[in-house]
């Protein structure tokens, strides 16, 4: 296939992937756990809820961070981190002082404001754009429905409302394109337990196409993205990552891909649907449920997952204190588990989803025994349903290890932590 002209890190090249557009392929062999490349964030923004526990500049988790003397809402490791972040932080500093508690742009708006500022400050190609420039990002503008276009206009209005002093705005049409590009190409930075730390733009990482059978994994060291092989990759082979959570069956995964990224996956797993039967395992009963009953329960499961997601998000946004949140969310989980459990096995992915949510609520209210009970039910099916070296499996072993240790079961805790480390040494590197 014809290669496009672009700066290349050794061992990789940008090329035209049949049916997928731009892509990334290997020029040499990579072994499992080997680092293909790393990419510093073009720009990144720390999520508001992590302020005070993580540095706004480098995202390091530390105690005793120093706060910005003016807005007192941004925190830094040291003077160097603060100076380096100032060109971005100044976009928000005076606005946060002026708006007070009414300063509430979304993370997407905050990230887009930083992109506009970065393009003004640094118009030439950056170290993050060796293979793909931000301006080359796909926007899929022609595929946006009216609802998505309206959401983008709301974001544009918020950008104008909260950012005025330090930003020069392009026209509305250019902003629509930029927000569409961010929606398709932005990344969520997560810690080792997959907790959300912030959002970022990693142009070279965005070059990789999706597969539900990925051969690389993306992890983060602060605001640096690292791409490592989780399968052996041969010369000439395309490098694939996963854009989505791979727990779910084929139809669910492709619904998500079409909604967020405007394509349907044609990887081997999507074509064969080989894992769907065990992911949707039905309870073994003397009187098996009809196909219609199973179909109705799947619809119910999908609806309750969406209802739970909305409830969690809505209450988190509206309630500065989460006082009514845990008991209400735990009740949703338990009721849905009871209903689905009449048809689904515990290893069914919809059951696992609600168990994971229930575990999260238990962790929030420090019910360690409750969290451990859910985690013990989750871990084995997770290990079966997810690919090898999955961060979701590593994160669950890590949680279980900490819970066992907290409950003074050191032997079980050590075993769980060793299982987490075995995966993390591949996904994150030996250090």
């Amino acid at each position: 296939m014809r290669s496009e002209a672009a700066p290349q890190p050794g061992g990789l090249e940008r090329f035209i992937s049949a049916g997928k557009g731009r892509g990334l392929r290997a020029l040499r062999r990579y072994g499992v756990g080997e680092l293909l490349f790393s990419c510093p964030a073009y720009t990144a923004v720390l999520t508001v809820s992590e302020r005070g526990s993580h540095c706004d500049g480098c995202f390091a988790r530390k105690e005793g961070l120093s706060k910005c003397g003016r807005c007192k809402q941004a925190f830094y490791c040291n003077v160097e981190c603060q100076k380096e972040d100032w060109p971005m932080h100044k976009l928000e500093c005076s606005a946060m002082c002026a708006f007070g508690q009414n300063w509430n742009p979304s993370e997407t708006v905050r990230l887009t404001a930083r992109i506009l500022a970065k393009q003004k400050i640094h118009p030439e190609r950056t170290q993050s754009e060796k293979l793909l420039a931000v301006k080359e990002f796909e926007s899929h503008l022609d595929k946006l429905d009216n609802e998505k276009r309206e959401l983008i206009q709301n974001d544009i209005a918020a950008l104008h409302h909260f950012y005025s002093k330090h930003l020069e705005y392009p026209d509305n049409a250019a902003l629509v394109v930029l927000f569409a590009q961010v929606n398709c190409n932005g990344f969520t930075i997560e810690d080792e337990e997959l907790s959300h730390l912030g959002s970022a733009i990693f142009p070279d990482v965005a070059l990789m196409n999706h597969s539900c059978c990925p051969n690389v994994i993306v992890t983060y060291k602060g605001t640096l993205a690292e791409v490592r092989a989780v399968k052996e990759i041969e010369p000439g082979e395309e490098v694939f990552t996963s854009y989505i959570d791979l727990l779910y069956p084929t139809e669910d995964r492709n619904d998500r891909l079409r909604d967020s990224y405007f394509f349907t996956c044609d990887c081997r797993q999507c074509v064969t649907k080989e894992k769907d039967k065990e992911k949707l395992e039905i309870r073994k009963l003397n009187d098996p449920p009809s196909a219609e009953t199973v179909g109705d329960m799947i619809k119910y499961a999908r609806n309750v997952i969406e209802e739970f997601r909305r409830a969690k998000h809505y209450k988190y946004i509206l309630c500065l204190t989460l006082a009514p949140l845990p008991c209400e969310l735990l009740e949703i989980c338990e009721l849905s588990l009871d209903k689905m459990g009449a048809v689904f096995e515990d290893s069914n992915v919809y059951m696992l989803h609600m168990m994971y949510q229930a575990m999260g609520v238990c962790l929030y209210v420090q019910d360690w025994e409750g969290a451990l009970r859910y985690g013990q039910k989750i871990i084995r099916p997770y290990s079966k349903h997810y690919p090898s070296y999955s961060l979701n499996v590593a994160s669950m072993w890590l949680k279980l290890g900490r819970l066992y240790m907290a409950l003074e079961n050191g032997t079980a805790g050590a075993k769980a932590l060793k299982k987490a480390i075995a995966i993390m040494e591949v996904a994150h590197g030996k250090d």
Side-chain angles (χ1 to χ4, degrees), residues 54-239:
H54 289 77
C55 173
D56 274 68
C58 69
F59 283 29
R61 178 170 50 202
K62 288 185 180 179
E63 292 185 4
L65 295 168
S66 303
K67 65 175 69 173
C68 170
R70 188 173 183 188
C71 69
K72 298 181 172 52
Q73 293 188 56
F75 294 77
Y76 297 97
C77 298
N78 49 43
V79 173
E80 287 73 26
C81 273
Q82 186 169 9
K83 282 183 178 177
E84 193 171 328
D85 191 51
W86 175 245
M88 296 295 116
H89 177 56
K90 74 177 183 182
L91 299 172
E92 300 181 346
C93 189
S94 55
M96 286 193 291
C97 294
F99 283 97
Q101 289 189 347
N102 294 320
W103 186 84
N104 59 357
S106 71
E107 209 160 289
T108 301
V109 170
R110 295 176 63 207
L111 186 63
T112 306
R114 290 178 180 228
I115 294 170
L116 287 169
K118 178 85 175 217
Q119 288 175 337
K120 180 72 175 175
I121 297 164
H122 202 301
E124 62 274 19
R125 204 159 181 143
T126 67
Q127 283 297 305
S128 311
E129 302 170 284
K130 291 179 179 177
L131 294 158
L132 182 70
V134 170
K135 290 184 178 179
E136 294 180 278
F137 280 174
E138 289 282 358
S139 67
H140 297 289
L141 205 59
D142 58 322
K143 301 185 183 98
L144 297 182
D145 58 25
N146 289 337
E147 183 182 359
K148 285 185 171 63
R149 287 180 181 275
E150 186 177 340
L151 289 171
I152 286 176
Q153 289 299 337
N154 291 341
D155 281 341
I156 291 172
L159 185 73
H160 283 285
H161 181 66
F162 290 110
Y163 296 86
S164 55
K165 189 174 179 182
H166 301 287
L167 269 188
E168 291 180 21
Y169 301 100
D171 61 27
N172 189 76
L175 284 175
V176 170
V177 170
L178 181 57
F179 272 104
Q181 288 173 321
V182 171
N183 288 338
C184 286
N185 296 278
F187 286 81
T188 294
I189 295 181
E190 297 170 324
D191 67 11
E192 69 280 357
E193 286 196 359
L194 304 187
S195 295
H196 178 78
L197 294 184
S199 298
I201 296 293
F202 297 104
D204 287 349
V205 183
L207 178 61
M208 293 186 292
N209 286 313
H210 165 86
S211 171
C212 299
C213 318
N215 53 16
V216 300
I217 200 162
V218 182
T219 57
Y220 305 97
K221 284 185 178 175
T223 57
L224 180 75
E226 295 187 330
V227 179
R228 283 189 170 79
V230 291
K231 295 178 182 177
E232 290 190 356
I233 303 173
E234 299 299 332
E237 199 175 330
E238 183 163 1
V239 177

Side-chain angles (χ1 to χ4, degrees), residues 127-392:
Q127 283 297 305
S128 311
E129 302 170 284
K130 291 179 179 177
L131 294 158
L132 182 70
V134 170
K135 290 184 178 179
E136 294 180 278
F137 280 174
E138 289 282 358
S139 67
H140 297 289
L141 205 59
D142 58 322
K143 301 185 183 98
L144 297 182
D145 58 25
N146 289 337
E147 183 182 359
K148 285 185 171 63
R149 287 180 181 275
E150 186 177 340
L151 289 171
I152 286 176
Q153 289 299 337
N154 291 341
D155 281 341
I156 291 172
L159 185 73
H160 283 285
H161 181 66
F162 290 110
Y163 296 86
S164 55
K165 189 174 179 182
H166 301 287
L167 269 188
E168 291 180 21
Y169 301 100
D171 61 27
N172 189 76
L175 284 175
V176 170
V177 170
L178 181 57
F179 272 104
Q181 288 173 321
V182 171
N183 288 338
C184 286
N185 296 278
F187 286 81
T188 294
I189 295 181
E190 297 170 324
D191 67 11
E192 69 280 357
E193 286 196 359
L194 304 187
S195 295
H196 178 78
L197 294 184
S199 298
I201 296 293
F202 297 104
D204 287 349
V205 183
L207 178 61
M208 293 186 292
N209 286 313
H210 165 86
S211 171
C212 299
C213 318
N215 53 16
V216 300
I217 200 162
V218 182
T219 57
Y220 305 97
K221 284 185 178 175
T223 57
L224 180 75
E226 295 187 330
V227 179
R228 283 189 170 79
V230 291
K231 295 178 182 177
E232 290 190 356
I233 303 173
E234 299 299 332
E237 199 175 330
E238 183 163 1
V239 177
F240 288 108
T241 187
S242 173
Y243 294 177
I244 56 169
D245 189 336
L246 295 175
L247 178 65
Y248 301 93
T250 305
E251 186 179 342
D252 296 48
R253 294 196 309 274
N254 277 292
D255 281 349
R256 170 75 195 282
L257 289 168
R258 281 188 291 269
D259 182 62
S260 299
Y261 303 103
F262 309 101
F263 71 88
T264 299
C265 183
D266 60 359
C267 74
R268 177 181 52 79
Q269 199 174 121
C270 286
V271 171
T272 64
K273 302 184 179 180
E274 60 190 11
K275 287 195 169 187
D276 284 6
K277 187 175 180 181
E278 62 183 24
K279 287 185 175 186
L280 296 171
E281 193 169 357
I282 306 305
R283 193 168 289 283
K284 294 171 182 63
L285 303 167
N286 292 331
D287 184 16
S290 66
E292 185 181 2
T293 300
V294 172
D296 287 345
M297 192 58 72
I298 289 172
K299 285 179 187 173
Y300 166 79
R302 288 173 178 162
N303 287 338
V304 81
I305 285 170
E306 180 62 19
E307 177 191 333
F308 187 92
R309 187 192 66 78
R310 289 180 186 275
K312 192 162 68 167
H313 176 74
Y314 184 69
K315 288 178 184 292
Y316 180 76
I317 296 300
L318 290 188
C319 306
L320 294 176
T321 135
L322 293 179
L325 182 59
C327 60
E328 290 180 18
L329 292 182
L330 194 56
E331 186 178 2
I332 294 173
C333 293
E334 290 170 346
L335 288 172
S336 64
L337 284 167
D338 283 345
K339 182 168 181 176
M340 290 189 295
V343 175
F344 296 153
E345 283 286 359
D346 282 356
S347 60
N348 184 295
V349 294
Y350 299 124
M351 295 286 283
L352 294 173
H353 179 98
M354 296 315 297
M355 288 181 202
Y356 182 82
Q357 301 301 331
M359 183 183 182
V361 177
C362 290
L363 287 171
Y364 180 80
V365 298
Q366 299 185 4
D367 174 7
W368 310 135
E369 290 90 352
L372 181 60
R373 280 195 301 274
Y374 282 115
Q376 287 169 329
K377 287 184 177 182
I378 290 168
I379 188 59
R380 299 298 172 190
Y382 259 33
S383 301
K384 182 172 68 170
H385 295 326
Y386 276 113
S388 301
Y389 309 113
S390 164
L391 293 179
N392 301 77

